[in-house]
Amino acid sequence: MTDRAHMVIAIDGPAASGKSSTSQWVADRLRYRHVDSGSLYRAVTAAMLRTGQPADRWTAAQMLAAGARVTLRPELTAFVALIDGKDATEEIRGSAVTAHVSQVAQVPEIRAWVNARVREAAESHDVVVDGRDMGTAVFPDAPLKIFLVADSWERARRRLTQRLGRGPTEAEVAEETDLLVQRDGRDATQTVQAKDAVLLDTTYLTQAEQVERIVALAHAVSHRPDET
Ligand code: CDP
C-alpha cells in the first residue's frame, strides 16, 4: 500500500468509453469525489475558443493564461470545472471544444498544469479520477486502476444516445464512430493502460454492471491487509 492519506481510484480509457459517467456513479456509491481530468482540458480549450483567436496560432503561454481562468468547485461527490468562476459544463461538452481539445492536450505545460490541479483535488478527499493517464503519469501508486474499453461502434452509439436523447440512426453512428476513432488517434500517446490496471471491456455490460464490478474491486482493495 502507499502512504497516501486518501484513496485514489484511477479510471482511464479511450474517448466515450464511459469513464466519466461510470466514475461519477462509483464516486456517488462510495461517497468519494469524482475528478474529471478531461473537463480541465476541455475548459482550457473553451477559454481559448472564447478569445476568438485562430486555433493554429494558440501558444502554450496563452493556454496557460486560459488555464488561470479555470477552477474546480468541490461539490458533495464531484468537482465542477468553472471558467471565470462560472459553471461551464454545457459549453465544454460542445462539438467545437471536442474538435480542438486534443491539440491543447498535446502541450506539455498544459498537461503539467492539469496534473497539478488533479493532484491538489486528491489531497483533501478520497477520489475517483478519470482520464487517459491517471494510472500512469498522475497516480502511478493508486491502489486501484481500471482501464475501460468498448467497441468503437458501441461507444459512438452510447455517446449519441446521451447527446440526442433518442436512439441514433446507423448513418449517425457511422459518422460519430469516425470522429471517435480520429480522436483516439490524436490521443494515442497519452492513452496508456498501466501494467497493474484491471482491463474492463464494457461493450456487453450495462452501466450498472460495470459500476458494480468497480465498487466490488474498491471494497476488495480497501479491505486488503496493509503490506508495509
Ligand atoms: O469524455 P471523452 O472521452 O470524450 O473525453 P474527455 O475525458 O472529456 O477528454 C477530452 C480530451 O482531453 C481527450 O480527447 C484528450 O485529448 C484530453 N485528455 C487527455 O489528454 N488526458 C486526460 N487525462 C484526459 C483528457
Side-chain angles (χ1 to χ4, degrees):
M1 296 290 281
T2 70
D3 55 4
R4 179 180 296 290
H6 294 282
M7 175 68 175
V8 174
I9 300 176
I11 303 186
D12 291 309
S17 54
K19 302 176 303 288
S20 290
S21 47
T22 303
S23 300
Q24 186 58 59
W25 197 337
V26 171
D28 290 342
R29 284 282 307 274
L30 297 173
R31 291 283 178 267
Y32 288 13
R33 275 193 189 136
H34 172 214
V35 192
D36 175 355
S37 62
S39 74
L40 287 166
Y41 290 105
R42 285 176 177 274
V44 172
T45 308
M48 284 307 301
L49 286 169
R50 283 187 192 179
T51 68
Q53 288 203 56
D56 57 358
R57 302 224 199 104
W58 294 353
T59 65
Q62 289 168 337
M63 293 183 205
L64 279 176
R69 297 167 55 192
V70 174
T71 47
L72 282 178
R73 182 178 69 207
E75 298 195 337
L76 194 58
T77 61
F79 283 92
V80 176
L82 309 178
I83 304 175
D84 298 331
K86 295 209 181 78
D87 191 329
T89 306
E90 208 169 310
E91 181 180 351
I92 69 176
R93 298 284 148 209
S95 56
V97 168
T98 302
H100 288 96
V101 64
S102 301
Q103 171 191 345
V104 171
Q106 300 307 317
V107 177
E109 291 89 336
I110 295 299
R111 299 205 71 77
W113 178 83
V114 167
N115 295 350
R117 299 290 78 72
V118 174
R119 288 197 189 98
E120 264 170 23
E123 268 168 24
S124 56
H125 216 276
D126 294 330
V127 288
V128 184
V129 291
D130 87 276
R132 302 288 188 287
D133 54 355
M134 295 297 109
T136 50
V138 187
F139 297 105
D141 60 348
L144 179 59
K145 301 175 186 176
I146 310 286
F147 198 79
L148 278 190
V149 293
D151 170 75
S152 56
W153 183 273
E154 179 58 17
R155 287 190 277 138
R157 196 192 62 74
R158 289 176 186 168
R159 178 64 44 112
L160 280 173
T161 306
Q162 181 186 42
R163 188 186 305 147
L164 304 174
R166 59 163 170 84
T169 65
E170 274 209 17
E172 286 171 330
V173 179
E175 191 186 336
E176 185 70 15
T177 302
D178 274 354
L179 290 174
L180 279 184
V181 170
Q182 282 172 30
R183 188 147 63 93
D184 285 347
R186 294 197 295 269
D187 292 336
T189 341
Q190 66 258 20
T191 310
V192 192
Q193 182 183 345
K195 284 202 195 75
D196 52 347
V198 176
L199 179 68
L200 203 56
D201 185 334
T202 71
T203 308
Y204 302 107
L205 293 179
T206 64
Q207 188 139 49
E209 286 167 338
Q210 70 205 42
V211 168
E212 282 321 308
R213 291 200 188 186
I214 298 171
V215 167
L217 287 166
H219 284 140
V221 165
S222 53
H223 295 135
R224 199 165 59 192
D226 206 321
E227 287 151 20
T228 53

